[in-house]
Amino acid sequence: MGLTIDQMNLGPLARQGAHALLAEFGPDVIRFTRGYADLKGQARAMAGNVARNKEWIKQTYTRTDRPSYVIACALQEEVYRRAEVKDRAEIEQYLYAALQSIPNAEAISFHCLVDVQGQPASEAFDLLPIEDAHGMPTAEGYRVIASIRRLPGLDAFLHREGGLRIWHAQFMAKTPISKEV
């Protein structure tokens, strides 16, 4: 069982897309794994990926990711400085410290915005890939990918992040999160 749409704390476009996918394919097929994360949650998620691939940040956040790219460069430098660290918990700690040291990091990164109640939200979500043992989408996986690519407001769909099997749907955020949140 994956996360519910409410648990992901999504912004309007991502929420609409998530509901559309669930309506079309149902919860047995669509399993959400990630939505909004605060800096600690972002560090935790990144640490698992960095523990498996020290180049993951560099490979995932490209220049096209706009403001996130600047933060990603700082985080990747931190990974290089601590290349000997292999423990996920230690990686999480140093990534979190690095994120905290970047002024307004939450406000300019990771597809964040403020929802109608003034709470942080995300215009992106991850879902469990629908793939075979070789990492290729199944027939149903291809149908899901086609539906994702038709979602209104979709900015990007990634079927790999830094070589890892992660399906990531990113929508165009309209209202960036404010510094005060």
Short mmCIF file of all heavy atoms in Angstrom, two decimals, residues 29-94:
data_model
loop_
_atom_site.label_atom_id
_atom_site.label_comp_id
_atom_site.label_asym_id
_atom_site.label_seq_id
_atom_site.Cartn_x
_atom_site.Cartn_y
_atom_site.Cartn_z
N VAL A 29 -2.91 -0.50 -8.79
CA VAL A 29 -1.88 -0.22 -9.80
C VAL A 29 -1.06 1.00 -9.41
O VAL A 29 0.17 0.98 -9.46
CB VAL A 29 -2.53 -0.01 -11.19
CG1 VAL A 29 -1.51 0.43 -12.22
CG2 VAL A 29 -3.24 -1.28 -11.64
N ILE A 30 -1.73 2.07 -9.01
CA ILE A 30 -1.06 3.33 -8.68
C ILE A 30 -0.73 3.34 -7.20
O ILE A 30 -1.62 3.38 -6.35
CB ILE A 30 -1.96 4.55 -9.03
CG1 ILE A 30 -2.31 4.54 -10.52
CG2 ILE A 30 -1.28 5.85 -8.62
CD1 ILE A 30 -1.12 4.64 -11.47
N ARG A 31 0.55 3.32 -6.90
CA ARG A 31 1.02 3.36 -5.51
C ARG A 31 1.97 4.53 -5.36
O ARG A 31 3.11 4.48 -5.83
CB ARG A 31 1.69 2.04 -5.14
CG ARG A 31 0.68 0.91 -5.18
CD ARG A 31 1.19 -0.32 -4.50
NE ARG A 31 0.13 -1.32 -4.54
CZ ARG A 31 0.35 -2.58 -4.82
NH1 ARG A 31 1.55 -3.01 -5.05
NH2 ARG A 31 -0.66 -3.42 -4.82
N PHE A 32 1.50 5.56 -4.69
CA PHE A 32 2.31 6.76 -4.48
C PHE A 32 3.33 6.51 -3.37
O PHE A 32 3.02 5.91 -2.34
CB PHE A 32 1.42 7.95 -4.11
CG PHE A 32 0.43 8.30 -5.18
CD1 PHE A 32 -0.92 8.03 -5.02
CD2 PHE A 32 0.86 8.89 -6.37
CE1 PHE A 32 -1.83 8.35 -6.02
CE2 PHE A 32 -0.05 9.21 -7.37
CZ PHE A 32 -1.39 8.93 -7.19
N THR A 33 4.55 7.00 -3.59
CA THR A 33 5.61 6.79 -2.61
C THR A 33 6.13 8.08 -2.00
O THR A 33 6.81 8.03 -0.97
CB THR A 33 6.80 6.04 -3.25
OG1 THR A 33 7.31 6.82 -4.35
CG2 THR A 33 6.38 4.67 -3.75
N ARG A 34 5.81 9.23 -2.61
CA ARG A 34 6.36 10.47 -2.07
C ARG A 34 5.62 11.67 -2.64
O ARG A 34 5.24 11.70 -3.79
CB ARG A 34 7.83 10.55 -2.46
CG ARG A 34 8.58 11.68 -1.87
CD ARG A 34 10.08 11.38 -2.00
NE ARG A 34 10.85 12.58 -2.11
CZ ARG A 34 11.18 13.33 -1.09
NH1 ARG A 34 10.79 13.02 0.11
NH2 ARG A 34 11.90 14.41 -1.25
N GLY A 35 5.43 12.67 -1.78
CA GLY A 35 4.88 13.96 -2.17
C GLY A 35 5.73 15.03 -1.53
O GLY A 35 6.95 15.02 -1.64
N TYR A 36 5.09 15.95 -0.80
CA TYR A 36 5.83 17.02 -0.12
C TYR A 36 6.72 16.46 0.98
O TYR A 36 6.32 15.55 1.72
CB TYR A 36 4.87 18.05 0.50
CG TYR A 36 5.59 19.05 1.36
CD1 TYR A 36 6.30 20.09 0.77
CD2 TYR A 36 5.61 18.93 2.74
CE1 TYR A 36 7.01 20.99 1.55
CE2 TYR A 36 6.30 19.83 3.52
CZ TYR A 36 7.01 20.86 2.92
OH TYR A 36 7.71 21.74 3.69
N ALA A 37 7.90 17.02 1.08
CA ALA A 37 8.80 16.69 2.20
C ALA A 37 9.44 17.98 2.69
O ALA A 37 9.86 18.81 1.89
CB ALA A 37 9.88 15.72 1.74
N ASP A 38 9.51 18.13 4.01
CA ASP A 38 10.26 19.26 4.56
C ASP A 38 11.75 18.96 4.34
O ASP A 38 12.12 17.94 3.76
CB ASP A 38 9.91 19.49 6.02
CG ASP A 38 10.21 18.30 6.91
OD1 ASP A 38 10.89 17.34 6.48
OD2 ASP A 38 9.75 18.31 8.06
N LEU A 39 12.62 19.86 4.80
CA LEU A 39 14.05 19.67 4.55
C LEU A 39 14.57 18.36 5.14
O LEU A 39 15.38 17.68 4.52
CB LEU A 39 14.85 20.85 5.09
CG LEU A 39 14.64 22.19 4.36
CD1 LEU A 39 15.54 23.26 4.95
CD2 LEU A 39 14.87 22.06 2.86
N LYS A 40 14.09 17.99 6.32
CA LYS A 40 14.51 16.74 6.95
C LYS A 40 14.06 15.55 6.09
O LYS A 40 14.83 14.62 5.84
CB LYS A 40 13.93 16.64 8.36
CG LYS A 40 14.37 15.42 9.13
CD LYS A 40 15.79 15.55 9.60
CE LYS A 40 16.13 14.43 10.56
NZ LYS A 40 17.57 14.31 10.75
N GLY A 41 12.84 15.59 5.64
CA GLY A 41 12.33 14.53 4.78
C GLY A 41 13.05 14.47 3.44
O GLY A 41 13.30 13.39 2.91
N GLN A 42 13.38 15.64 2.90
CA GLN A 42 14.12 15.68 1.64
C GLN A 42 15.51 15.07 1.83
O GLN A 42 15.97 14.28 1.01
CB GLN A 42 14.24 17.13 1.14
CG GLN A 42 14.89 17.25 -0.21
CD GLN A 42 14.05 16.67 -1.33
OE1 GLN A 42 12.83 16.72 -1.30
NE2 GLN A 42 14.70 16.11 -2.33
N ALA A 43 16.17 15.41 2.94
CA ALA A 43 17.49 14.85 3.23
C ALA A 43 17.40 13.33 3.39
O ALA A 43 18.26 12.60 2.90
CB ALA A 43 18.07 15.49 4.49
N ARG A 44 16.36 12.86 4.06
CA ARG A 44 16.17 11.42 4.26
C ARG A 44 16.01 10.69 2.93
O ARG A 44 16.65 9.67 2.68
CB ARG A 44 14.95 11.16 5.15
CG ARG A 44 14.73 9.70 5.50
CD ARG A 44 13.52 9.48 6.42
NE ARG A 44 13.52 10.39 7.56
CZ ARG A 44 12.66 11.42 7.73
NH1 ARG A 44 11.71 11.62 6.84
NH2 ARG A 44 12.73 12.20 8.77
N ALA A 45 15.17 11.24 2.06
CA ALA A 45 14.95 10.61 0.75
C ALA A 45 16.22 10.63 -0.10
O ALA A 45 16.57 9.63 -0.73
CB ALA A 45 13.80 11.31 0.03
N MET A 46 16.89 11.76 -0.09
CA MET A 46 18.12 11.87 -0.88
C MET A 46 19.20 10.93 -0.34
O MET A 46 19.96 10.35 -1.12
CB MET A 46 18.63 13.30 -0.88
CG MET A 46 17.73 14.27 -1.61
SD MET A 46 18.31 15.96 -1.43
CE MET A 46 18.74 16.29 -3.14
N ALA A 47 19.28 10.77 0.97
CA ALA A 47 20.33 9.95 1.57
C ALA A 47 20.24 8.50 1.09
O ALA A 47 21.27 7.88 0.82
CB ALA A 47 20.24 10.01 3.10
N GLY A 48 19.05 7.97 1.00
CA GLY A 48 18.90 6.60 0.52
C GLY A 48 19.41 6.45 -0.90
O GLY A 48 20.05 5.45 -1.24
N ASN A 49 19.16 7.44 -1.72
CA ASN A 49 19.62 7.40 -3.10
C ASN A 49 21.13 7.61 -3.19
O ASN A 49 21.82 6.93 -3.94
CB ASN A 49 18.88 8.44 -3.94
CG ASN A 49 17.40 8.15 -4.00
OD1 ASN A 49 16.98 6.99 -4.04
ND2 ASN A 49 16.59 9.18 -3.98
N VAL A 50 21.65 8.55 -2.41
CA VAL A 50 23.09 8.84 -2.40
C VAL A 50 23.88 7.65 -1.86
O VAL A 50 24.98 7.35 -2.35
CB VAL A 50 23.40 10.12 -1.60
CG1 VAL A 50 24.89 10.29 -1.34
CG2 VAL A 50 22.85 11.34 -2.34
N ALA A 51 23.33 6.92 -0.89
CA ALA A 51 24.01 5.75 -0.35
C ALA A 51 24.23 4.69 -1.44
O ALA A 51 25.23 3.99 -1.43
CB ALA A 51 23.23 5.16 0.81
N ARG A 52 23.31 4.62 -2.40
CA ARG A 52 23.41 3.66 -3.50
C ARG A 52 24.19 4.20 -4.68
O ARG A 52 24.73 3.43 -5.47
CB ARG A 52 22.02 3.24 -3.97
CG ARG A 52 21.30 2.37 -2.95
CD ARG A 52 19.93 1.99 -3.42
NE ARG A 52 19.03 3.10 -3.09
CZ ARG A 52 17.75 3.13 -3.36
NH1 ARG A 52 17.19 2.14 -3.99
NH2 ARG A 52 17.01 4.15 -3.01
N ASN A 53 24.23 5.54 -4.83
CA ASN A 53 24.86 6.14 -5.99
C ASN A 53 25.35 7.53 -5.60
O ASN A 53 24.56 8.46 -5.50
CB ASN A 53 23.85 6.22 -7.15
CG ASN A 53 24.37 6.96 -8.36
OD1 ASN A 53 25.52 7.40 -8.42
ND2 ASN A 53 23.51 7.12 -9.36
N LYS A 54 26.65 7.69 -5.41
CA LYS A 54 27.22 8.97 -4.96
C LYS A 54 27.03 10.09 -5.98
O LYS A 54 27.16 11.26 -5.64
CB LYS A 54 28.72 8.81 -4.65
CG LYS A 54 29.01 7.92 -3.47
CD LYS A 54 28.58 8.55 -2.18
CE LYS A 54 29.03 7.71 -1.00
NZ LYS A 54 28.60 8.22 0.26
N GLU A 55 26.69 9.76 -7.20
CA GLU A 55 26.46 10.77 -8.24
C GLU A 55 24.97 11.07 -8.42
O GLU A 55 24.58 11.82 -9.30
CB GLU A 55 27.03 10.29 -9.58
CG GLU A 55 28.53 10.05 -9.56
CD GLU A 55 29.32 11.34 -9.50
OE1 GLU A 55 28.95 12.30 -10.18
OE2 GLU A 55 30.32 11.37 -8.76
N TRP A 56 24.12 10.50 -7.56
CA TRP A 56 22.67 10.60 -7.75
C TRP A 56 22.18 12.04 -7.83
O TRP A 56 21.37 12.39 -8.69
CB TRP A 56 21.93 9.85 -6.62
CG TRP A 56 20.45 9.92 -6.77
CD1 TRP A 56 19.66 9.13 -7.55
CD2 TRP A 56 19.57 10.87 -6.15
NE1 TRP A 56 18.34 9.51 -7.44
CE2 TRP A 56 18.27 10.58 -6.59
CE3 TRP A 56 19.75 11.92 -5.27
CZ2 TRP A 56 17.16 11.31 -6.18
CZ3 TRP A 56 18.64 12.64 -4.86
CH2 TRP A 56 17.37 12.33 -5.31
N ILE A 57 22.65 12.90 -6.96
CA ILE A 57 22.17 14.30 -6.96
C ILE A 57 22.53 14.96 -8.29
O ILE A 57 21.68 15.57 -8.95
CB ILE A 57 22.73 15.08 -5.76
CG1 ILE A 57 22.17 14.51 -4.45
CG2 ILE A 57 22.40 16.58 -5.88
CD1 ILE A 57 22.82 15.08 -3.20
N LYS A 58 23.77 14.82 -8.69
CA LYS A 58 24.23 15.42 -9.95
C LYS A 58 23.45 14.88 -11.15
O LYS A 58 23.12 15.62 -12.07
CB LYS A 58 25.72 15.13 -10.11
CG LYS A 58 26.34 15.65 -11.37
CD LYS A 58 27.81 15.26 -11.40
CE LYS A 58 28.46 15.67 -12.69
NZ LYS A 58 29.86 15.23 -12.73
N GLN A 59 23.16 13.59 -11.13
CA GLN A 59 22.45 12.96 -12.24
C GLN A 59 20.96 13.29 -12.25
O GLN A 59 20.32 13.20 -13.29
CB GLN A 59 22.65 11.44 -12.19
CG GLN A 59 24.08 11.03 -12.44
CD GLN A 59 24.33 9.57 -12.11
OE1 GLN A 59 23.49 8.90 -11.49
NE2 GLN A 59 25.48 9.08 -12.51
N THR A 60 20.42 13.65 -11.11
CA THR A 60 18.98 13.89 -10.99
C THR A 60 18.61 15.35 -11.20
O THR A 60 17.67 15.66 -11.93
CB THR A 60 18.47 13.41 -9.61
OG1 THR A 60 18.75 12.02 -9.50
CG2 THR A 60 16.98 13.65 -9.46
N TYR A 61 19.33 16.26 -10.57
CA TYR A 61 19.00 17.68 -10.64
C TYR A 61 19.90 18.34 -11.68
O TYR A 61 21.03 18.70 -11.39
CB TYR A 61 19.17 18.35 -9.27
CG TYR A 61 18.18 17.83 -8.27
CD1 TYR A 61 18.49 16.76 -7.44
CD2 TYR A 61 16.90 18.37 -8.18
CE1 TYR A 61 17.58 16.26 -6.54
CE2 TYR A 61 15.98 17.88 -7.29
CZ TYR A 61 16.33 16.82 -6.47
OH TYR A 61 15.42 16.33 -5.59
N THR A 62 19.37 18.48 -12.88
CA THR A 62 20.14 19.07 -13.97
C THR A 62 19.86 20.57 -14.05
O THR A 62 19.01 21.10 -13.34
CB THR A 62 19.75 18.40 -15.29
OG1 THR A 62 18.36 18.68 -15.54
CG2 THR A 62 19.97 16.90 -15.24
N ARG A 63 20.56 21.22 -14.93
CA ARG A 63 20.39 22.68 -15.10
C ARG A 63 18.95 23.05 -15.43
O ARG A 63 18.52 24.15 -15.15
CB ARG A 63 21.32 23.20 -16.19
CG ARG A 63 22.76 23.15 -15.82
CD ARG A 63 23.62 23.75 -16.93
NE ARG A 63 25.02 23.47 -16.70
CZ ARG A 63 25.81 24.21 -15.95
NH1 ARG A 63 25.34 25.27 -15.35
NH2 ARG A 63 27.07 23.89 -15.79
N THR A 64 18.20 22.14 -16.00
CA THR A 64 16.81 22.45 -16.35
C THR A 64 15.91 22.50 -15.13
O THR A 64 14.77 22.93 -15.24
CB THR A 64 16.25 21.42 -17.36
OG1 THR A 64 16.32 20.13 -16.77
CG2 THR A 64 17.04 21.45 -18.66
N ASP A 65 16.40 22.04 -13.98
CA ASP A 65 15.59 22.07 -12.76
C ASP A 65 15.57 23.45 -12.11
O ASP A 65 15.08 23.60 -11.00
CB ASP A 65 16.09 21.03 -11.74
CG ASP A 65 15.69 19.64 -12.12
OD1 ASP A 65 14.63 19.47 -12.73
OD2 ASP A 65 16.45 18.71 -11.79
N ARG A 66 16.11 24.43 -12.79
CA ARG A 66 16.10 25.82 -12.36
C ARG A 66 16.65 26.01 -10.95
O ARG A 66 17.78 25.59 -10.69
CB ARG A 66 14.71 26.41 -12.56
CG ARG A 66 14.30 26.41 -14.03
CD ARG A 66 12.83 26.70 -14.22
NE ARG A 66 11.94 25.72 -13.66
CZ ARG A 66 11.46 24.66 -14.31
NH1 ARG A 66 11.78 24.45 -15.53
NH2 ARG A 66 10.64 23.84 -13.72
N PRO A 67 15.93 26.62 -10.03
CA PRO A 67 16.52 26.92 -8.71
C PRO A 67 17.01 25.69 -7.95
O PRO A 67 17.98 25.77 -7.20
CB PRO A 67 15.38 27.60 -7.94
CG PRO A 67 14.47 28.11 -8.99
CD PRO A 67 14.56 27.13 -10.13
N SER A 68 16.38 24.56 -8.14
CA SER A 68 16.83 23.35 -7.45
C SER A 68 18.26 22.99 -7.82
O SER A 68 18.98 22.39 -7.04
CB SER A 68 15.91 22.17 -7.77
OG SER A 68 14.62 22.40 -7.28
N TYR A 69 18.67 23.36 -9.03
CA TYR A 69 20.01 23.02 -9.50
C TYR A 69 21.08 23.67 -8.63
O TYR A 69 22.10 23.04 -8.31
CB TYR A 69 20.18 23.46 -10.96
CG TYR A 69 21.55 23.22 -11.50
CD1 TYR A 69 21.98 21.91 -11.80
CD2 TYR A 69 22.44 24.26 -11.73
CE1 TYR A 69 23.24 21.67 -12.29
CE2 TYR A 69 23.71 24.02 -12.23
CZ TYR A 69 24.11 22.74 -12.51
OH TYR A 69 25.36 22.50 -13.00
N VAL A 70 20.87 24.90 -8.21
CA VAL A 70 21.84 25.61 -7.37
C VAL A 70 22.00 24.88 -6.04
O VAL A 70 23.12 24.65 -5.56
CB VAL A 70 21.40 27.07 -7.15
CG1 VAL A 70 22.33 27.78 -6.18
CG2 VAL A 70 21.33 27.80 -8.48
N ILE A 71 20.91 24.49 -5.45
CA ILE A 71 20.95 23.75 -4.19
C ILE A 71 21.59 22.38 -4.41
O ILE A 71 22.41 21.93 -3.62
CB ILE A 71 19.54 23.62 -3.59
CG1 ILE A 71 19.06 25.00 -3.16
CG2 ILE A 71 19.52 22.65 -2.42
CD1 ILE A 71 17.63 25.05 -2.73
N ALA A 72 21.22 21.73 -5.51
CA ALA A 72 21.78 20.41 -5.80
C ALA A 72 23.30 20.47 -5.94
O ALA A 72 24.00 19.56 -5.48
CB ALA A 72 21.15 19.85 -7.07
N CYS A 73 23.82 21.52 -6.55
CA CYS A 73 25.27 21.66 -6.69
C CYS A 73 25.94 21.72 -5.32
O CYS A 73 26.97 21.07 -5.09
CB CYS A 73 25.62 22.90 -7.51
SG CYS A 73 25.25 22.73 -9.26
N ALA A 74 25.36 22.47 -4.41
CA ALA A 74 25.91 22.57 -3.05
C ALA A 74 25.86 21.22 -2.34
O ALA A 74 26.81 20.82 -1.66
CB ALA A 74 25.16 23.63 -2.25
N LEU A 75 24.75 20.50 -2.51
CA LEU A 75 24.61 19.19 -1.88
C LEU A 75 25.58 18.18 -2.49
O LEU A 75 26.18 17.37 -1.77
CB LEU A 75 23.18 18.69 -1.98
CG LEU A 75 22.13 19.52 -1.24
CD1 LEU A 75 20.74 18.96 -1.51
CD2 LEU A 75 22.42 19.58 0.24
N GLN A 76 25.74 18.22 -3.81
CA GLN A 76 26.67 17.29 -4.47
C GLN A 76 28.10 17.55 -4.00
O GLN A 76 28.86 16.61 -3.77
CB GLN A 76 26.58 17.39 -5.99
CG GLN A 76 27.41 16.34 -6.72
CD GLN A 76 26.91 14.93 -6.47
OE1 GLN A 76 25.77 14.61 -6.76
NE2 GLN A 76 27.77 14.07 -5.93
N GLU A 77 28.46 18.81 -3.82
CA GLU A 77 29.79 19.14 -3.29
C GLU A 77 29.97 18.55 -1.90
O GLU A 77 31.05 18.05 -1.56
CB GLU A 77 30.02 20.65 -3.28
CG GLU A 77 30.29 21.24 -4.64
CD GLU A 77 31.50 20.62 -5.33
OE1 GLU A 77 32.56 20.46 -4.68
OE2 GLU A 77 31.37 20.27 -6.52
N GLU A 78 28.92 18.60 -1.10
CA GLU A 78 28.98 18.01 0.24
C GLU A 78 29.19 16.49 0.16
O GLU A 78 29.97 15.92 0.93
CB GLU A 78 27.70 18.34 1.02
CG GLU A 78 27.77 18.07 2.48
CD GLU A 78 28.75 18.96 3.23
OE1 GLU A 78 29.02 20.10 2.80
OE2 GLU A 78 29.26 18.50 4.27
N VAL A 79 28.53 15.85 -0.79
CA VAL A 79 28.72 14.41 -1.00
C VAL A 79 30.17 14.12 -1.38
O VAL A 79 30.79 13.20 -0.85
CB VAL A 79 27.75 13.86 -2.07
CG1 VAL A 79 28.09 12.42 -2.46
CG2 VAL A 79 26.31 13.96 -1.60
N TYR A 80 30.73 14.94 -2.27
CA TYR A 80 32.13 14.74 -2.67
C TYR A 80 33.08 14.92 -1.48
O TYR A 80 34.03 14.17 -1.33
CB TYR A 80 32.52 15.70 -3.78
CG TYR A 80 31.88 15.43 -5.11
CD1 TYR A 80 31.60 16.47 -5.99
CD2 TYR A 80 31.53 14.13 -5.53
CE1 TYR A 80 31.02 16.23 -7.23
CE2 TYR A 80 30.94 13.89 -6.75
CZ TYR A 80 30.69 14.94 -7.60
OH TYR A 80 30.11 14.72 -8.82
N ARG A 81 32.80 15.93 -0.64
CA ARG A 81 33.65 16.17 0.53
C ARG A 81 33.61 15.00 1.51
O ARG A 81 34.55 14.78 2.26
CB ARG A 81 33.22 17.45 1.26
CG ARG A 81 33.80 18.71 0.67
CD ARG A 81 33.64 19.90 1.62
NE ARG A 81 32.28 20.36 1.78
CZ ARG A 81 31.62 21.13 0.91
NH1 ARG A 81 32.20 21.52 -0.18
NH2 ARG A 81 30.39 21.50 1.15
N ARG A 82 32.51 14.29 1.53
CA ARG A 82 32.33 13.19 2.48
C ARG A 82 32.16 11.85 1.76
O ARG A 82 31.36 11.01 2.16
CB ARG A 82 31.13 13.47 3.37
CG ARG A 82 31.29 14.75 4.18
CD ARG A 82 29.98 15.09 4.83
NE ARG A 82 30.01 16.35 5.50
CZ ARG A 82 30.01 16.50 6.81
NH1 ARG A 82 29.99 15.45 7.60
NH2 ARG A 82 30.01 17.70 7.34
N ALA A 83 32.91 11.67 0.70
CA ALA A 83 32.77 10.48 -0.15
C ALA A 83 32.94 9.17 0.61
O ALA A 83 32.39 8.15 0.23
CB ALA A 83 33.75 10.55 -1.31
N GLU A 84 33.69 9.21 1.71
CA GLU A 84 33.94 7.97 2.47
C GLU A 84 32.73 7.52 3.28
O GLU A 84 32.65 6.38 3.70
CB GLU A 84 35.15 8.16 3.40
CG GLU A 84 34.88 9.00 4.64
CD GLU A 84 34.71 10.51 4.43
OE1 GLU A 84 34.98 11.01 3.30
OE2 GLU A 84 34.31 11.19 5.38
N VAL A 85 31.75 8.42 3.49
CA VAL A 85 30.58 8.08 4.30
C VAL A 85 29.64 7.20 3.48
O VAL A 85 29.21 7.56 2.39
CB VAL A 85 29.84 9.35 4.78
CG1 VAL A 85 28.59 8.98 5.56
CG2 VAL A 85 30.76 10.23 5.60
N LYS A 86 29.33 6.03 4.03
CA LYS A 86 28.46 5.07 3.34
C LYS A 86 27.14 4.86 4.08
O LYS A 86 26.16 4.43 3.50
CB LYS A 86 29.17 3.72 3.23
CG LYS A 86 30.56 3.79 2.63
CD LYS A 86 30.57 3.27 1.23
CE LYS A 86 31.97 3.19 0.66
NZ LYS A 86 32.45 4.40 0.08
N ASP A 87 27.13 5.17 5.37
CA ASP A 87 25.95 4.95 6.20
C ASP A 87 24.84 5.94 5.85
O ASP A 87 25.05 7.16 5.85
CB ASP A 87 26.33 5.09 7.68
CG ASP A 87 25.15 4.86 8.59
OD1 ASP A 87 24.68 3.71 8.66
OD2 ASP A 87 24.69 5.85 9.20
N ARG A 88 23.66 5.40 5.55
CA ARG A 88 22.53 6.24 5.15
C ARG A 88 22.20 7.30 6.20
O ARG A 88 21.92 8.45 5.86
CB ARG A 88 21.32 5.35 4.88
CG ARG A 88 20.11 6.10 4.45
CD ARG A 88 18.93 5.18 4.23
NE ARG A 88 17.77 5.96 3.86
CZ ARG A 88 16.75 5.48 3.20
NH1 ARG A 88 16.72 4.23 2.82
NH2 ARG A 88 15.72 6.26 2.90
N ALA A 89 22.19 6.93 7.46
CA ALA A 89 21.84 7.89 8.53
C ALA A 89 22.86 9.03 8.59
O ALA A 89 22.48 10.19 8.77
CB ALA A 89 21.76 7.18 9.88
N GLU A 90 24.13 8.73 8.42
CA GLU A 90 25.16 9.78 8.42
C GLU A 90 25.01 10.69 7.20
O GLU A 90 25.18 11.90 7.30
CB GLU A 90 26.56 9.16 8.44
CG GLU A 90 26.94 8.55 9.77
CD GLU A 90 28.36 8.00 9.73
OE1 GLU A 90 29.29 8.79 9.48
OE2 GLU A 90 28.51 6.78 9.93
N ILE A 91 24.72 10.09 6.06
CA ILE A 91 24.50 10.88 4.84
C ILE A 91 23.30 11.80 5.04
O ILE A 91 23.35 12.99 4.71
CB ILE A 91 24.30 9.97 3.61
CG1 ILE A 91 25.58 9.18 3.32
CG2 ILE A 91 23.86 10.79 2.39
CD1 ILE A 91 25.41 8.07 2.30
N GLU A 92 22.24 11.27 5.62
CA GLU A 92 21.06 12.09 5.91
C GLU A 92 21.43 13.28 6.79
O GLU A 92 21.00 14.41 6.54
CB GLU A 92 19.98 11.26 6.59
CG GLU A 92 18.73 12.05 6.95
CD GLU A 92 17.71 11.21 7.70
OE1 GLU A 92 17.66 9.98 7.53
OE2 GLU A 92 16.93 11.82 8.47
N GLN A 93 22.21 13.04 7.83
CA GLN A 93 22.60 14.12 8.74
C GLN A 93 23.36 15.22 8.02
O GLN A 93 23.08 16.40 8.20
CB GLN A 93 23.43 13.57 9.90
CG GLN A 93 22.62 12.78 10.89
CD GLN A 93 23.49 12.17 12.00
OE1 GLN A 93 24.67 11.93 11.83
NE2 GLN A 93 22.87 11.93 13.14
N TYR A 94 24.36 14.85 7.22
CA TYR A 94 25.13 15.91 6.58
C TYR A 94 24.36 16.60 5.46
O TYR A 94 24.53 17.80 5.23
CB TYR A 94 26.54 15.47 6.19
CG TYR A 94 26.73 14.60 4.95
CD1 TYR A 94 26.47 15.07 3.66
CD2 TYR A 94 27.27 13.33 5.07
CE1 TYR A 94 26.70 14.30 2.55
CE2 TYR A 94 27.51 12.54 3.96
CZ TYR A 94 27.22 13.03 2.69
OH TYR A 94 27.46 12.27 1.58
#
